[in-house]
Coordinates of all heavy atoms in Angstrom, one line a residue:
E31 N 5.9 2.3 -7.2 CA 7.0 2.8 -6.6 C 7.3 4.2 -7.1 O 7.5 4.5 -8.2 CB 8.3 1.9 -6.9 CG 9.5 2.4 -6.2 CD 10.8 1.5 -6.5 OE1 10.5 0.4 -6.9 OE2 11.9 2.1 -6.4
V32 N 7.3 5.2 -6.1 CA 7.6 6.6 -6.4 C 8.6 7.1 -5.5 O 8.6 7.0 -4.2 CB 6.3 7.4 -6.2 CG1 6.6 8.9 -6.5 CG2 5.1 6.9 -7.1
N33 N 9.7 7.6 -6.1 CA 10.8 8.2 -5.3 C 11.4 7.2 -4.3 O 11.7 7.5 -3.2 CB 10.3 9.4 -4.6 CG 11.4 10.3 -4.1 OD1 12.5 10.3 -4.7 ND2 11.2 11.1 -3.1
G34 N 11.4 5.9 -4.7 CA 12.0 4.8 -3.8 C 11.0 4.3 -2.8 O 11.3 3.4 -2.0
V35 N 9.8 4.8 -2.8 CA 8.8 4.4 -1.8 C 7.7 3.5 -2.5 O 7.1 3.9 -3.5 CB 8.1 5.5 -1.1 CG1 7.0 5.0 -0.2 CG2 9.1 6.4 -0.4
V36 N 7.5 2.3 -2.0 CA 6.6 1.4 -2.7 C 5.2 1.5 -1.9 O 5.2 1.4 -0.7 CB 7.0 -0.1 -2.6 CG1 6.1 -1.0 -3.3 CG2 8.4 -0.2 -3.2
M37 N 4.2 1.7 -2.7 CA 2.9 1.9 -2.1 C 1.8 1.1 -2.8 O 2.0 0.7 -4.0 CB 2.5 3.4 -2.1 CG 2.3 4.0 -3.5 SD 2.0 5.8 -3.5 CE 3.6 6.4 -3.0
A38 N 0.7 0.9 -2.2 CA -0.5 0.3 -2.8 C -1.5 1.4 -3.1 O -1.7 2.3 -2.2 CB -1.1 -0.8 -2.0
I39 N -2.2 1.4 -4.2 CA -3.3 2.3 -4.5 C -4.5 1.5 -4.7 O -4.6 0.6 -5.5 CB -3.0 3.2 -5.7 CG1 -1.7 4.0 -5.5 CG2 -4.2 4.1 -6.0 CD1 -1.3 4.8 -6.7
A40 N -5.6 1.7 -3.9 CA -6.9 1.0 -4.0 C -8.0 1.9 -4.4 O -8.0 3.1 -4.0 CB -7.1 0.3 -2.6
R41 N -9.0 1.3 -5.1 CA -10.2 2.0 -5.4 C -11.3 1.3 -4.6 O -11.6 0.1 -4.8 CB -10.5 2.0 -6.8 CG -11.7 3.0 -7.2 CD -12.1 2.8 -8.6 NE -11.0 3.2 -9.6 CZ -10.8 4.5 -10.0 NH1 -11.5 5.5 -9.4 NH2 -9.8 4.7 -10.8
I42 N -11.9 2.0 -3.6 CA -13.0 1.5 -2.8 C -14.2 2.4 -2.9 O -14.1 3.6 -2.5 CB -12.5 1.4 -1.3 CG1 -11.3 0.4 -1.3 CG2 -13.6 0.8 -0.5 CD1 -10.6 0.4 0.1
E43 N -15.3 1.9 -3.4 CA -16.5 2.7 -3.5 C -16.3 4.0 -4.3 O -16.8 5.0 -4.0 CB -17.1 3.0 -2.2 CG -17.6 1.7 -1.4 CD -18.3 2.0 -0.1 OE1 -18.3 3.2 0.3 OE2 -18.8 1.1 0.6
G44 N -15.4 3.8 -5.3 CA -15.1 4.9 -6.2 C -14.0 5.9 -5.8 O -13.5 6.6 -6.5
A45 N -13.7 5.8 -4.5 CA -12.6 6.7 -4.0 C -11.2 6.0 -4.1 O -11.1 4.8 -4.0 CB -12.9 7.1 -2.5
L46 N -10.2 6.8 -4.2 CA -8.8 6.3 -4.3 C -8.1 6.5 -2.9 O -8.3 7.5 -2.2 CB -8.0 7.1 -5.4 CG -8.5 6.9 -6.8 CD1 -7.7 7.8 -7.7 CD2 -8.4 5.4 -7.2
Y47 N -7.4 5.5 -2.6 CA -6.5 5.5 -1.3 C -5.2 5.0 -1.6 O -5.0 4.0 -2.4 CB -7.2 4.7 -0.2 CG -8.6 5.1 0.1 CD1 -9.7 4.5 -0.4 CD2 -8.8 6.1 1.0 CE1 -11.0 4.9 -0.2 CE2 -10.1 6.5 1.3 CZ -11.2 5.9 0.7 OH -12.5 6.3 1.0
A48 N -4.1 5.7 -1.1 CA -2.8 5.2 -1.3 C -2.1 5.0 0.1 O -2.2 5.8 1.0 CB -2.0 6.3 -2.1
F49 N -1.5 3.9 0.3 CA -0.9 3.5 1.6 C 0.3 2.6 1.3 O 0.5 2.1 0.2 CB -1.9 2.8 2.5 CG -2.6 1.7 1.8 CD1 -2.2 0.4 1.8 CD2 -3.8 2.0 1.1 CE1 -2.9 -0.6 1.1 CE2 -4.5 1.0 0.5 CZ -4.1 -0.3 0.5
Q50 N 1.2 2.5 2.3 CA 2.4 1.8 2.1 C 2.1 0.3 1.7 O 1.2 -0.3 2.2 CB 3.4 1.9 3.3 CG 2.9 1.1 4.5 CD 3.8 1.2 5.7 OE1 4.0 2.3 6.2 NE2 4.5 0.1 6.1
E51 N 2.9 -0.2 0.9 CA 2.7 -1.6 0.4 C 2.9 -2.7 1.4 O 2.2 -3.7 1.5 CB 3.6 -1.8 -0.8 CG 3.8 -3.3 -1.2 CD 2.6 -3.9 -1.8 OE1 1.5 -3.4 -1.7 OE2 2.8 -5.0 -2.5
F52 N 3.9 -2.5 2.3 CA 4.3 -3.6 3.1 C 3.7 -3.4 4.5 O 3.9 -2.4 5.2 CB 5.8 -3.7 3.2 CG 6.4 -4.0 1.8 CD1 7.1 -3.0 1.2 CD2 6.2 -5.2 1.2 CE1 7.7 -3.2 -0.1 CE2 6.7 -5.4 -0.1 CZ 7.5 -4.4 -0.7
C53 N 3.1 -4.5 5.0 CA 2.5 -4.6 6.4 C 3.6 -4.3 7.4 O 4.7 -4.7 7.3 CB 1.9 -6.0 6.6 SG 1.2 -6.2 8.2
T54 N 3.2 -3.6 8.5 CA 4.1 -3.2 9.5 C 4.5 -4.4 10.5 O 5.3 -4.2 11.4 CB 3.6 -2.0 10.3 OG1 2.3 -2.4 10.9 CG2 3.5 -0.8 9.5
H55 N 3.8 -5.5 10.2 CA 4.1 -6.7 11.1 C 5.3 -7.5 10.5 O 6.3 -7.5 11.1 CB 2.9 -7.6 11.2 CG 3.0 -8.9 11.9 ND1 2.7 -10.1 11.4 CD2 3.6 -9.1 13.1 CE1 3.0 -11.0 12.2 NE2 3.6 -10.5 13.3
R56 N 5.1 -8.2 9.4 CA 6.1 -9.0 8.8 C 6.3 -8.7 7.3 O 6.6 -9.5 6.5 CB 5.9 -10.5 9.0 CG 6.0 -10.9 10.4 CD 7.4 -10.8 10.9 NE 8.3 -11.6 10.2 CZ 8.6 -12.9 10.4 NH1 8.0 -13.6 11.4 NH2 9.5 -13.6 9.7
Y57 N 5.8 -7.5 6.8 CA 6.1 -7.0 5.5 C 5.3 -7.7 4.4 O 5.7 -7.9 3.3 CB 7.6 -7.1 5.1 CG 8.5 -6.4 6.1 CD1 9.2 -7.1 7.0 CD2 8.5 -5.0 6.3 CE1 10.0 -6.5 8.0 CE2 9.3 -4.4 7.2 CZ 10.0 -5.1 8.1 OH 10.8 -4.5 9.0
G58 N 4.1 -8.2 4.8 CA 3.2 -8.8 3.8 C 2.8 -7.8 2.7 O 2.6 -6.6 3.1
P59 N 2.6 -8.2 1.5 CA 2.3 -7.2 0.4 C 0.8 -6.9 0.5 O -0.1 -7.7 0.1 CB 2.6 -8.1 -0.9 CG 2.4 -9.5 -0.5 CD 2.8 -9.6 1.0
L60 N 0.5 -5.7 0.9 CA -0.9 -5.3 1.1 C -1.7 -5.1 -0.2 O -2.9 -5.2 -0.2 CB -1.0 -4.0 2.0 CG -0.4 -4.2 3.4 CD1 -0.5 -2.8 4.1 CD2 -1.2 -5.2 4.2
S61 N -1.0 -4.9 -1.3 CA -1.7 -4.8 -2.6 C -2.4 -6.1 -3.0 O -3.2 -6.2 -3.9 CB -0.7 -4.4 -3.7 OG 0.3 -5.4 -3.9

């Protein structure tokens, strides 16, 4: 959570990706 925004950070094949934590359908926790 940064500045009130909750996000997930993933490491895939060595690269980092950050995206919002909650699914846009029914707010499932993507992390």
